[in-house]
Amino acid sequence: MVVEILESITITDDLIEALKELDSEGYELALDDFVYMAEYEKVLPFVSIIKIDLRDMLLQDVTELKKQLASYPIRFLAEKVETIDEYRQCFDLEFNYFQGYFFCKPETIQTRHISALRLPLMQLMAEIAREEIRLDAIENIIAHDIAISYKLLRYINSAFFFRGREISSIRQALLRLGEAGIRRFIPIVALSHVGSGKPSELLRTGVIRAKFCELLAVSLAVEDVSLRREVSEWFLMGLFSVIDGIMDEPMNQILSRIDLSSKIKDALLQEKGRMASGLLLVKAYETGRWNDLSEIGGVLGVHSDHIPRMYWDAVFWADELTAGL
């Protein structure tokens, strides 16, 4: 648990005593939007994390700041990291943490073609989006891609899914998963392969959103039974919300090559429909936009008190799953 001290707070004796008490009770302390001032010397012995706003401090000034604070065991967090270049610069400056949307945005690349790495993913997505699963077609695609085959077999034999007997073939793995499992897990395995050069948090974000949207759809289906048929689509929609960042292509170009349902495409491309509201809900929770959360939850008929539990369950599930990939 980290207690954040805002830059607007005045350093007083009472504040110092309060921070000492929090430190003694095991809380970590973070200074927000840090710009060095002499009065901070009184609280730095209790601080674990310093947050640097990239919009307020030049990166070339960070090296000097780190020298000033070298005597303290402080970790550095870069916030408002909006581009992959900013992330790389901060990484080179040995920041410990990164906050922002750099990993969810595609890199701009002038020439684009479907590489050999991405082709199996697109073929798999097209098969999984079919109304009826064609097991032979999916097996054939996976069997011809060594990396995806390896990831699938490693995953199916991981602690997350292990059932007491090792699976050694693609066919066995698909039969173990079943139709619901194929629609849910094969896209994750394939995306983890294609996104191997990306920050791991990108795939994790997609998996959390997917599970959250699935849990949300199941909850809403209690009142609206027609939603029960859409649960797998809500999952796929949440997962695909990061596919542009993984594949470095605009979302509309990627989805034009996959025969997804109109509801998923409307949600991802136009923010239309109930699925879109589900995705906007989880995004609002991710970013702490509580007024938006309450408003969207009201439209969907979800009480805001239920959302934290749902999100935590999604995080727990995602962390267990991605540990095996």
Side-chain angles (χ1 to χ4, degrees):
M1 186 70 72
V2 181
V3 176
E4 183 171 290
I5 300 104
L6 300 180
E7 71 281 3
S8 57
I9 292 178
T10 303
I11 306 297
T12 64
D13 290 341
D14 286 343
L15 176 66
I16 293 169
E17 288 303 313
L19 297 183
K20 284 182 181 177
E21 184 175 347
L22 288 168
D23 179 60
S24 68
E25 291 178 359
Y27 290 94
E28 291 200 75
L29 304 176
L31 293 177
D32 188 35
D33 291 349
F34 185 82
V35 176
Y36 181 81
M37 292 184 290
E39 54 261 41
Y40 278 123
E41 293 286 349
K42 298 176 182 179
V43 301
L44 286 172
F46 317 113
V47 171
S48 301
I49 299 169
I50 280 177
K51 299 176 68 175
I52 304 296
D53 188 330
L54 298 189
R55 302 293 165 257
D56 291 337
M57 181 180 290
L58 297 174
L59 285 173
Q60 53 261 40
D61 295 333
V62 172
T63 301
E64 185 59 35
L65 176 63
K66 294 184 81 171
K67 288 179 182 177
Q68 282 182 293
L69 305 179
S71 60
Y72 300 104
I74 287 172
R75 304 190 297 279
F76 285 78
L77 183 153
E79 61 177 337
K80 297 183 182 174
V81 185
E82 300 301 330
T83 69
I84 197 74
D85 286 338
E86 287 177 342
Y87 162 71
R88 286 169 178 155
Q89 291 177 62
C90 291
F91 186 86
D92 290 341
L93 287 170
E94 298 183 346
F95 275 86
N96 305 95
Y97 306 112
F98 309 90
Q99 180 179 322
Y101 293 100
F102 68 97
F103 57 83
C104 284
K105 293 181 178 179
E107 291 187 71
T108 302
I109 298 175
Q110 295 302 318
T111 57
R112 169 60 58 195
H113 61 281
I114 306 176
S115 69
L117 185 68
R118 290 171 166 78
L119 186 57
L121 171 66
M122 304 309 296
Q123 292 172 332
L124 274 175
M125 296 303 110
E127 285 297 330
I128 287 166
R130 287 178 177 272
E131 189 171 339
E132 292 186 12
I133 289 288
R134 300 193 307 177
L135 201 63
D136 290 342
I138 293 174
E139 180 185 12
N140 185 57
I141 295 167
I142 295 174
H144 283 82
D145 189 287
I146 295 173
I148 294 180
S149 298
Y150 170 74
K151 278 185 173 288
L152 174 61
L153 292 175
R154 188 176 69 172
Y155 162 69
I156 204 71
N157 289 303
S158 69
F160 182 85
F161 217 91
F162 192 63
R163 298 292 184 273
R165 186 168 67 88
E166 185 169 315
I167 299 296
S168 58
S169 73
I170 303 301
R171 170 68 65 157
Q172 286 179 320
L174 295 176
L175 291 173
R176 170 70 63 84
L177 286 171
E179 181 174 330
I182 289 171
R183 293 189 190 277
R184 179 187 290 162
F185 297 119
I186 296 298
I188 296 173
V189 171
L191 282 177
S192 73
H193 167 50
V194 175
S196 57
K198 293 284 186 172
S200 59
E201 189 66 17
L202 177 54
L203 179 64
R204 180 175 178 267
T205 296
V207 176
I208 290 171
R209 289 179 182 178
K211 188 60 177 179
F212 179 92
C213 290
E214 179 188 75
L215 293 171
L216 180 60
V218 169
S219 174
L220 295 175
V222 174
E223 298 293 332
D224 183 355
V225 293
S226 66
L227 266 179
R228 293 176 186 174
R229 297 190 300 272
E230 296 181 9
V231 170
S232 63
E233 290 185 295
W234 283 61
F235 183 93
L236 198 58
M237 182 269 303
L239 183 65
F240 272 31
S241 67
V242 300
I243 197 170
D244 53 343
I246 287 177
M247 296 188 68
D248 292 325
E249 285 188 77
M251 183 73 75
N252 63 326
Q253 289 185 22
I254 297 170
L255 298 189
S256 69
R257 301 197 296 269
I258 308 174
D259 189 21
L260 293 172
S261 73
S262 59
K263 290 181 180 178
I264 294 179
K265 289 187 176 182
D266 285 346
L268 292 175
L269 297 176
Q270 302 179 48
E271 295 187 347
K272 286 173 53 179
R274 192 157 43 169
M275 279 190 196
S277 296
L279 183 58
L280 291 172
L281 187 73
V282 68
K283 286 182 176 181
Y285 192 84
E286 288 172 353
T287 52
R289 291 181 284 112
W290 311 123
N291 290 336
D292 291 348
L293 189 78
S294 179
E295 182 180 338
I296 299 166
V299 170
L300 285 169
V302 181
H303 197 286
S304 57
D305 288 349
H306 298 158
I307 296 170
R309 179 76 255 176
M310 206 177 295
Y311 189 81
W312 171 246
D313 287 343
V315 169
F316 185 80
W317 188 88
D319 284 348
E320 279 201 318
L321 170 67
T322 53
L325 291 174

